[in-house]
Amino acid sequence: MNNSSLSMEANSEIGPIPNDTSREDDAGAAFVLESKGEWWHAGYHLTTAIVGPTILSLPFAFRGMGWGLGFFSLTLMGVVTFYSYYLMSLVLEHCEKSGRRHIRFRELAADVLGSGWMFYFVISIQTAINTGISIGVILLAGDCLQIMYQQIDPDGSWKLYQFIAIVTGVMIVLSQMPSFHSLRHINLASLFLSLGYTLLVTVACVYAGISKDAPLRDYSLEDSAASRIFSAFTSICIIAAIYGNGILPEIQATLAPPATGKMVKGLAMCYTVIFITFYSAAISGYWVFGNKANSNILNSLMPDEGPALAPTWVLGLAVIFVLLQLFAIGLVYSQVAYEIMEKKSADVKQGMFSKRNLIPRLILRSLYMIICGFFAAMLPFFGDINAVVGAIGFIPLDFILPMLLYNMTYKPPRSSYTFWINNTIMIVFTCVGLLGSFSSIRKLVHDANKFKPFSSDVVD
């Protein structure tokens, strides 16, 4: 049986994928998700998607759990996500060998699970993740600019929303890069930037910890048992969001076919960087600040009152590195939104840079960034956004669905370790996601009383 027959047979079982069009007429696939990359390009994309300035909130996550549970959660999430992404890459490769190469998460889920509603579930979750991250990126970049401004002019009158407007303008310009593959050089630079600011922040934390002005260390947790439980689940969701990558099929789509074995190499590159950066930031930041750690550890190192706790040039360089990488992360996570837009608005027959396609691209991508910038300015909840996105978005896509897709595709025997490991992970993280959603939304509602819209301070 040939590949086209297999593809027709698979589609006949589940019906047509909702709103899908043939590849020949699919501008989202042809333009945004063009398949030209090598395994190291996938490694750059994966690293940018996972290793970002959100790692600077790891000390804040430890603050809600303490040393023991913090280490355990950070390590467990790393093992589970690597395993999860590996399984998903196998499922994608299996589909490709059967003549059904999927370049979108939603199409993969609908095909393997044989469910039209799964298509809409995945696209809804992906949209929430990508929009949440885009908002968080713009917010954190604006916060970085404000930090630099306050160091230069402590009595300056500029507010956070003004810096967010600047960042939004830059993102509008950068968003016009046409395809995911075109970001490969930017994402390589992003990889080195993440290593750079992690080193600088770690050195700054060690310096602050051994200096005569070192803050008093207190690693105690909250007083009431209920508060400790809620804080722990919120922290777990923050770590899930930090490890999260709800766009692995789209990243694998950038690989030139056949993709067999390439994503494993890309994952190995990515998790090498993860091991170096995640543990360095978490250990050094929590060691110094304990339960006073800020949701952005740079704010702890540069308090509003009093001098900086580390050399200004070290902190300033770290802030610049963070700021530059944020633009790359914003570009990566906006690709799903862009391919959806171009699938509906572009004409694949007229070329990527034709006037017919260029003008809608300029308008739609600019509007998307303006909307994200507006919400970033209006709702400056960096730590809370991380937790909510982790609970509602990343946990279903990265800790539950890959195991389900693998079980449905390969059908491991019920007596096998793989079957029981996958089902255990699905059950445990379903419970974690439900409890984490409640606790993170609870904290978000609680923090809503701490500020006015368009506040000049990021709420932890």
Side-chain angles (χ1 to χ4, degrees):
M1 185 179 292
N2 60 29
N3 287 347
S4 61
S5 298
L6 284 168
S7 182
M8 290 173 63
E9 181 181 332
N11 285 335
S12 67
E13 293 175 1
I14 66 171
I17 295 174
N19 297 325
D20 193 30
T21 58
S22 66
R23 282 289 150 80
E24 292 77 14
D25 299 325
D26 189 340
F31 295 164
V32 181
L33 299 179
E34 59 179 352
S35 304
K36 294 183 177 180
E38 301 295 338
W39 71 263
W40 53 87
H41 298 143
Y44 305 159
H45 300 325
L46 282 166
T47 304
T48 300
I50 300 176
V51 186
T54 49
I55 66 173
L56 301 181
S57 63
L58 281 171
F60 176 76
F62 271 47
R63 153 181 159 176
M65 296 184 288
W67 283 113
L69 184 57
F71 264 117
F72 176 78
S73 299
L74 187 64
T75 303
L76 179 65
M77 293 284 192
V79 172
V80 171
T81 52
F82 183 89
Y83 176 69
S84 172
Y85 301 148
Y86 172 67
L87 293 188
M88 192 183 298
S89 71
L90 293 181
V91 173
L92 287 162
E93 290 175 8
H94 177 87
C95 291
E96 181 179 342
K97 291 175 182 176
S98 300
R100 306 179 342 260
R101 187 177 196 227
H102 294 298
I103 62 173
R104 299 177 174 99
F105 202 152
R106 56 190 184 273
E107 294 174 4
L108 173 68
D111 181 6
V112 174
L113 300 179
S115 172
W117 73 265
M118 185 57 68
F119 179 96
Y120 297 109
F121 172 78
V122 171
I123 197 173
S124 299
I125 294 296
Q126 275 194 315
T127 300
I129 287 174
N130 297 337
T131 305
I133 289 177
S134 296
I135 292 170
V137 160
I138 292 173
L139 172 59
L140 187 54
D143 191 36
C144 288
L145 283 178
Q146 186 179 44
I147 288 171
M148 291 190 289
Y149 173 75
Q150 290 175 340
Q151 293 299 311
I152 296 170
D153 185 4
D155 299 320
S157 60
W158 279 46
K159 304 297 182 183
L160 177 61
Y161 66 84
Q162 293 171 294
F163 296 106
I164 288 174
I166 294 172
V167 172
T168 303
V170 175
M171 287 300 299
I172 288 173
V173 175
L174 293 176
S175 69
Q176 303 309 314
M177 297 191 70
S179 71
F180 208 148
H181 182 63
S182 68
L183 305 180
R184 61 194 182 281
H185 302 302
I186 290 177
N187 289 340
L188 172 60
S190 168
L191 187 155
F192 287 111
L193 286 169
S194 67
L195 291 170
Y197 65 69
T198 302
L199 174 63
L200 291 168
V201 168
T202 301
V203 169
C205 286
V206 172
Y207 180 92
I210 62 176
S211 69
K212 60 181 178 64
D213 298 319
L216 295 175
R217 298 185 184 90
D218 183 359
Y219 304 114
S220 61
L221 302 178
E222 296 182 64
D223 294 332
S224 71
S227 295
R228 287 197 298 272
I229 292 172
F230 284 128
S231 294
F233 277 106
T234 299
S235 296
I236 289 170
C237 290
I238 290 173
I239 294 177
I242 293 171
Y243 271 114
N245 166 33
I247 55 173
L248 186 137
E250 285 79 7
I251 291 175
Q252 188 154 333
T254 66
L255 290 169
T260 303
K262 294 178 181 177
M263 280 302 288
V264 177
K265 296 178 182 178
L267 282 167
M269 174 193 290
C270 174
Y271 273 75
T272 300
V273 178
I274 283 174
F275 179 79
I276 295 169
T277 56
F278 280 37
Y279 285 91
S280 298
I283 293 170
S284 61
Y286 188 60
W287 171 68
V288 179
F289 297 104
N291 60 16
K292 298 296 188 295
N294 199 284
S295 66
N296 180 353
I297 202 64
L298 286 171
N299 287 333
S300 297
L301 289 164
M302 292 184 280
D304 292 334
E305 297 181 2
L309 300 179
T312 303
W313 71 268
V314 172
L315 299 175
L317 191 58
V319 170
I320 292 171
F321 284 2
V322 167
L323 178 63
L324 292 175
Q325 199 209 15
L326 283 168
F327 294 124
I329 294 170
L331 291 174
V332 164
Y333 276 98
S334 59
Q335 295 305 304
V336 173
Y338 296 161
E339 68 90 357
I340 293 172
M341 293 175 189
E342 299 212 7
K343 183 174 181 178
K344 299 296 184 182
S345 66
D347 183 352
V348 71
K349 298 176 182 177
Q350 298 198 34
M352 185 183 293
F353 298 105
S354 66
K355 185 177 179 180
R356 159 68 181 79
N357 293 328
L358 197 60
I359 292 175
R361 181 185 304 139
L362 175 64
I363 294 172
L364 290 173
R365 295 188 181 192
S366 298
L367 283 174
Y368 177 78
M369 284 301 168
I370 289 170
I371 291 169
C372 291
F374 174 79
F375 280 102
M378 187 173 71
L379 303 169
F381 295 106
F382 179 62
D384 291 349
I385 286 175
N386 263 352
V388 172
V389 169
I392 297 176
F394 284 121
I395 286 181
L397 292 191
D398 294 332
F399 296 85
I400 300 172
L401 265 181
M403 286 68 181
L404 180 60
L405 293 174
Y406 182 87
N407 284 356
M408 293 293 289
T409 300
Y410 288 93
K411 297 179 173 56
R414 290 179 178 272
S415 59
S416 67
Y417 286 116
T418 300
F419 178 85
W420 287 104
I421 289 171
N422 290 353
N423 280 277
T424 299
I425 291 173
M426 285 191 286
I427 292 169
V428 169
F429 280 96
T430 296
C431 297
V432 169
L434 291 172
L435 292 170
S437 297
F438 177 78
S439 61
S440 56
I441 292 173
R442 170 182 174 270
K443 187 173 187 301
L444 184 65
V445 172
H446 178 264
D447 287 343
N449 299 319
K450 294 184 179 180
F451 82 108
K452 296 179 180 179
F454 301 98
S455 169
S456 196
D457 296 309
V458 177
V459 178
D460 286 338

